[in-house]
Each structure stands twice: as structure tokens, then as C-alpha cells.
Amino acid sequence: MTGALSALVLGQDRFHTGFTIPSSDGGLLVEMWDRPGAWVSDEVLAALVSNMRIVAKAGQRGKPVPLYGALLGDRADLARRCLTQVSLKRTGEPIAFCALAYFDIPFGVRMVSVVHLGLLYVTPDHQHRHLSNLLYGASTLLLLMKGGLRGFWISNVSQVPAAVGLTAHHYQDVYPRPDPRARQSFMHLLLARAIVQNHRPAFGVGAEAGFDEARQIITNAYTGGSDELKKTWESAPKHRDPAINEMCRTMLDYERGDDVLQIGRCSIMVVWRLFRSKLPKSAPVQIAWRAFLIVVLGVLSPLARWLVAPDHDVRGRPLHASDDLEVVR
Ligand SMILES: CC(C)(COP(=O)(O)OP(=O)(O)OC[C@H]1O[C@@H](n2cnc3c(N)ncnc32)[C@H](O)[C@@H]1OP(=O)(O)O)[C@@H](O)C(=O)NCCC(=O)NCCS
């Protein structure tokens, strides 16, 4: 945590935090790396990728691991992602991960940043422990705190009711979701269009997939690397809310392999929703403590940066000569 705190104070991108949650199997270690491809060593990056592949292999229950996005282990790709992993404290065995991706979408003269709720896996032996809520919830909440509580757009591409329901229940203004009040605003439409046009590789969707803009459904989606994730309706993990399951069953053609593209907002409201959702025991206290520290430091960091004299100007040029100047008479 100390590294993460000093990185926040100094305005660096190197953000890594971790905490332990007590559990009957000796405790769960939750660790989060923001943009690891931009700053971690080759060894650490290789270990992160290997952990994700171990979890994905177990999660695939004998089917090949889908090789796309974060699972490819490409440094440049991992520099645009935020990884959160859960492992058993006692043995170090990795049991779950999520790999969020950052999409920069040009919008007039501005750039809108969308946090994509990327690949999510929990090994079969540890499913139904509410680790999905913990992974998506804690990582987006800590990103919200790190961004000074400024809200951001989120997206999710999935055919799995458990993941679709998680997005619908946790975030705000999510479209589509099974609620008569849910509507597609102009912003939802523009972001959805831009994501499908420019970011297909991030969620393993090939060029041949179609897109139904009004309903935000990607048709024939399992063609660009995610093929092995395609599920039948019967095998797709369901959500506790029957309305979510019914929405997925009626909107998506599981034979063809459709995905729903959900767009929503992550704001301070998600804090309330996250803590009301089912989380592993003691996780809320740990997450709340990290969130508090990050917010406090976010407030104090401009003062700290002002007090610590910088070595470089805003364009990265050194402010001090490296050698003493020689005075020539
Ligand atoms: C999808 C996946 C991550 C869900 O893992 P999980 O451990 O079951 O997730 P959780 O325990 O957090 O449960 C998620 C939701 O599933 C449903 N669920 C979980 N356990 C359940 C149970 N015993 N009975 C009914 N519903 C249950 C709930 O709706 C739950 O949400 P809630 O706790 O807010 O009600 C897991 O099945 C997996 O790794 N699948 C393979 C990879 C994949 O398809 N990923 C998704 C697409 S990227």
C-alpha cells in the first residue's frame, strides 16, 4: 500500500494495492494493478499473465483457454488495463481475476474515457463466494476514488446472465437492463457505436460480427478470439434475479452466439450499491478503508506535489544541470 500511496502523492501512474480478507481457507489476498504493462518488471508481468491463464484454464472446465485481450499478455495492451486478482493467502494459488480495459473515445473536441468491465473468471472450486461482486465492485470503486470521485462511463460485453446482472445492478443508467425506465440516450448510442467500431479486439469480437445499434446486441460475436467462451443457454451461469435471465434468454440468440453490450455510469452511487450487494465477509471494511485513504490522499496530493520540488518541467525537461557549471574566465 505504501508504494500506491506515494505514487498517488507524486501523481505517478504506478498504482498497486492489496488487502487480505479473512476466510475459512486461510484468507483471500486481493491485489489490484493499474496499467501494469506501463511500469511493472518483466517478471511481475509474466506472473500476472500466468495467474490469469491458470484461473481461465480452470474456469474453462476442459475447453481451451480463449486467447485474446489480457490473456495474450501483451505489454502494450496491459498498459491500458487494470487487473485485479484474488489468490489464497496460504498457498498463493490464484482463484479469480478481472481485467478492466480503458477505452478512449473521441467525442467532439473531448476524449471520453470508458472503463470496460473486461474478462472475469472465478475457478469452479471458488464460485458462488461473491468474488465477482468483489472483483468488479472493488476495482471500479477504487478507480473512482483515485479519479477524485469523478464519475466515468463503463461498458460490458457478455452473454452470461451472472455478469450481465452484475453490471445492471451495480452501475447507474445501464442500458440495456430489464427495467421499463431503462432507455438508450444519445450518449449510450454514440459510445456503443464507437466501442464496436474501434475496440473489438479488447473483447475478442471479430470483423464478421454484426451490431444491432438500437438494442445494443453484437450478433455472431464469438469469432475474434473469444470463440471458446461461447456458451449454450443451459450452460451460461445464471443470475439470482429472474428478470435478468429472462432478458438474456429473449434478447440473445445463444445458438448464433450473441452478446449484449451494456453501457452505464460509475459514480458515487456505486459505493452504496456495492456495500448493499453480497460480498465476502469483511471485504466491505477493507475496501472502505482503502477508498478512504485514496480520497484523503487525493485531497492532500496537490499540496504534497507543491512542497516536493520537481526535477523536471511539465514537458519532461530537467530543471537542474546534471554537472556543476564550469565558470570560464
Ligand atoms: C461468471 C462467473 C465469473 C460467476 O462466478 P461466481 O463465483 O458464480 O460469481 P458470484 O458468486 O459473484 O455470483 C454472481 C451472480 O451469480 C448468481 N449466483 C451465484 N451463486 C448462485 C447460486 N448459488 N444460486 C443462484 N444464483 C447464484 C447471483 O446472481 C450472483 O449475483 P448476486 O450475488 O449479486 O446475487 C463464473 O461462472 C466464471 O468464471 N465463468 C467462466 C468465465 C465467464 O464466462 N465469464 C463471464 C464472461 S467474461
Side-chain angles (χ1 to χ4, degrees), residues 68-70 77 81 101 103 116-119 155-158 192 194-206 209 218 221-227 229 259-261:
Y68 75 96
D77 174 80
R81 288 188 185 265
F103 297 158
H116 180 71
L117 306 177
L119 210 50
S155 62
N156 176 45
V157 170
S158 187
I195 288 171
V196 171
Q197 238 166 43
N198 304 321
H199 296 281
R200 289 180 184 222
F203 39 87
V205 169
I218 305 174
Y222 292 81
T223 52
S226 61
D227 317 33
L229 267 177
D259 268 343
V260 58
L261 164 57

Side-chain angles (χ1 to χ4, degrees), residues 169-185:
H169 284 193
H170 273 299
Y171 301 96
Q172 273 185 297
D173 298 331
V174 174
Y175 179 85
R177 68 177 199 276
D179 179 343
R181 291 166 304 173
R183 66 179 194 94
Q184 185 189 41
S185 70

